[in-house]
Amino acid sequence: MKFIDILRDHLDAFNQAYEQQITTTMRQAIYAMISCRTNTQRVSQWACQSCTHTADFPLSCGHRSCPQCQHNTTIDWLNKQQAKLLPVEYYMVTFTLPFELRVIAKHQPELLYQAMFSVAASILKDFAHNSKSLGGEIGFTGVLHTHSRRRDYHPHLHFIIPAGSFNKDKKQWQKSRGKYLFNAFNLATVWRARLLECLTKKLDITLPAAIPKKWVVDCQHVGTGLPALKYLSRYLYRGVLPDKNIISVTDGQVSFKYQDSQSQTTKIRTLSTVKFIWLVLQHVLPKGLRRVRDYGLLSGNFCKLRQQIQLMLVVAGALPQVVGSPLVEEAKRIAAIRPCPCCQQPMTFMGIYLNRRPTSLTVTT
């Protein structure tokens, strides 16, 4: 059973139960998903080059919350990030929003998510600037995740960071020394102070009475950066819960599997269909919000400098990521493949038709 099927079958009950909590953005996502691949007036035409079979398919909605869309977007992002990979060690830094502030995030998500990005990025830049082993220009990519593995509301930011910096004056790459990049406890202390200051003084947001003194920031080594990129790509453009994780829908109950973060074992969670729909839809992001952001050396403004750094590191003896890397192979695996139902050979996209009249006949292979 697909999430969209569950949503379509139980939409009336969901609207009745959560009428006061459904936002305009959520309603737009719902409309997009239930219309996905059902509009027969807009179709893509495919033809098999091995036989004479042709077929028309309704277009996907393209919404970033839709679990059956955005295959190519994920591939494009993986390829772009692979091109930015440096042949150095990488770290993953995770900034978590405490439970007490999540009610603010639910009611003012755009303001709070933007504040989380700006504050966390400023902290990483300042820690790098003050680091004895760095001190130069660094680069990192940040990704917003709003859920835990159980799909509960749990906003946090992941940043993947190459372990080194570029000294503009010396025009040299400076490798980070030591077993860790930054002290996680110090990061957490500054994360708490700066985010609270931003919310109260800049955004004039009233904070809840009880705010924990200890916040959570994690900083861990992730090897070459490839495992972190693959992890971050899982939930970027294809919804919160893959359809393959939905196990059963019986007697008004939905069961889905997830991997427990503590035991690393697969567990089952069961909810009523209405609560399950809400569990997923509460993670719909505000329209226009960028959930992936590049900073410093990994931003678009540093493209030429980044290529120079990659060349410098290759000449110095580091091994670059080659075209046949596991990242590219993973992208190929994720790619949507439309086999011919007659001979099982790949079909070729022939164009888009509106009202059964061709608007494009550009052939792509």
Side-chain angles (χ1 to χ4, degrees), residues 282-293:
Q282 68 177 331
H283 301 293
V284 173
L285 296 177
K287 186 177 181 180
L289 179 77
R290 291 187 298 117
R291 70 180 306 169
V292 184
R293 309 186 185 193

Side-chain angles (χ1 to χ4, degrees), residues 115-130:
M116 289 173 64
F117 268 115
S118 60
V119 170
S122 69
I123 292 173
L124 293 176
K125 291 178 181 178
D126 288 347
F127 268 65
H129 179 74
N130 296 326

Side-chain angles (χ1 to χ4, degrees), residues 2 6 47 122 126-127 154 187 197 202 213 252-253 359:
K2 296 181 178 180
I6 300 173
S122 69
D126 288 347
F127 268 65
H154 184 263
L187 285 172
E197 181 182 15
K202 293 184 180 181
K213 293 184 178 180
Q253 303 283 316
T359 59

